[in-house]
Amino acid sequence: MSLQPEYRPNMDNAPRPVAVMAKTCGATEHIPLHIHRRGQLLHATSGVMRVETAEAAWILPPARAVWLPPQLPHSVRMRSKVEMRTVYIDPELCRTLPPAPVLAEISGLLRELILALLEEPVDYGETDRGGAIARLILTELGRLDARRFEVPMPQDERALRVAHALLDDPAIDHDLDRWAEKAGASRRTLARLFRHETGLSFAEWRARLRAIDGLARLSDGASVAETASAVGYASASAFSAMIHRTLGGPPRRLVRGPAAA
């Protein structure tokens, strides 16, 4: 994340302070580091994507969204075909919204409001249906149910190489010595970097990533057994125990989406 972010206007210059955009993204598609003048609520109606800033990464299944305040550099990587929906909020209206990124549940009402505003022209009348929908979206954004499901990211390039490799494939089971060799650092240095820059030991960081990645897969409809294998666990019971230990609850209570039903 040390690259210079590209400015992508998209709906930044929309004629109304609340604007929405729909976009279909292919599996493995990558939107490189960029910024927007406006704040963004980013989510998908189907598919899973990873949103990353210099400080943290979020893995988003369809039932969750990430709020990104204005002018925050971020990148997005698709894990499958994604039907992306984005709400752009003028900076003047962001003052009552979270000043830092948060993961949030997408309520059924908010999801429908976003879809409804997509049916309106971008220059909808402030006193017409479009304006009423936009005001309701702002009201719902003020009620975001924030969740602490981020993966903190290290800053040092050596630790960051390890973090990105595991974000791409959390099932990789190298021990710390092997990762240190690949990163070009000693075991002690790599352990210190993770502890100092993420607040977690390497083992704790990897467990948190696997837990959050696993919840995203479950929310997207994968079985517990499939998910356990995909994130590096030999059994569903071991995976479930790790989720409970790491995030404070069993998968069924924490997950949202098809698996919860």
Side-chain angles (χ1 to χ4, degrees), residues 117-260:
L117 195 56
L118 281 168
E119 298 173 355
E120 299 294 316
V122 292
D123 59 347
Y124 56 81
E126 295 281 10
T127 59
D128 295 340
R129 178 176 181 265
I133 294 170
R135 288 191 293 276
L136 283 172
I137 287 175
L138 286 172
T139 298
E140 285 299 292
L141 287 179
R143 293 161 47 88
L144 286 178
D145 181 15
R147 299 282 181 129
R148 302 301 301 176
F149 283 170
E150 75 277 6
V151 180
M153 295 297 288
Q155 307 300 306
D156 185 277
E157 289 295 330
R158 294 164 294 180
L160 201 55
R161 280 197 291 272
V162 175
H164 280 144
L166 283 166
L167 280 167
D168 290 339
D169 185 1
I172 298 174
D173 200 29
H174 298 336
D175 60 20
L176 192 56
D177 287 319
R178 181 75 180 278
W179 280 121
E181 180 183 339
K182 286 181 170 293
S186 70
R187 173 193 174 96
R188 184 174 180 178
T189 295
L190 190 61
R192 176 180 55 78
L193 287 170
F194 268 89
R195 172 67 74 182
H196 177 69
E197 296 185 350
T198 72
L200 301 170
S201 71
F202 174 74
E204 290 168 339
W205 185 92
R206 182 167 59 182
R208 183 172 182 83
L209 166 62
R210 287 174 166 178
I212 290 171
D213 190 292
L215 288 184
R217 293 172 189 268
L218 291 172
S219 294
D220 201 37
S223 70
V224 175
E226 291 170 337
T227 299
S229 176
V231 299
Y233 283 82
S235 70
S237 60
F239 166 70
S240 296
M242 181 274 295
I243 291 270
H244 200 296
R245 183 172 62 252
T246 303
L247 298 180
R252 280 190 180 276
R253 182 166 68 79
L254 295 171
V255 78
R256 294 291 183 273

Side-chain angles (χ1 to χ4, degrees), residues 12-88:
D12 277 355
N13 299 320
R16 297 292 180 259
V18 179
V20 292
M21 184 182 75
K23 182 180 180 181
T24 300
C25 300
T28 74
E29 185 174 337
H30 178 225
I31 302 173
L33 190 69
H34 64 285
I35 59 173
H36 297 282
R37 184 181 66 85
R38 294 189 179 206
Q40 284 182 278
L41 184 77
L42 189 62
H43 85 105
T45 57
S46 65
V48 176
M49 57 184 164
R50 185 175 92 216
V51 180
E52 187 179 337
T53 69
E55 289 75 32
W58 295 264
I59 301 171
L60 305 180
R64 292 195 167 107
V66 65
W67 164 252
L68 300 169
Q71 301 287 353
L72 181 71
H74 62 282
S75 63
V76 186
R77 189 178 294 276
M78 313 307 153
R79 288 258 297 261
S80 58
K81 181 181 177 181
V82 170
E83 293 296 334
M84 186 187 295
R85 304 291 181 264
T86 309
V87 184
Y88 294 87

Side-chain angles (χ1 to χ4, degrees), residues 92-115:
E92 289 298 314
L93 297 178
C94 292
R95 294 178 180 179
T96 59
L97 297 174
V102 294
L103 184 75
E105 301 291 344
I106 285 286
S107 67
L109 175 58
L110 182 55
R111 184 180 298 110
E112 293 304 317
L113 288 170
I114 293 169
L115 295 177

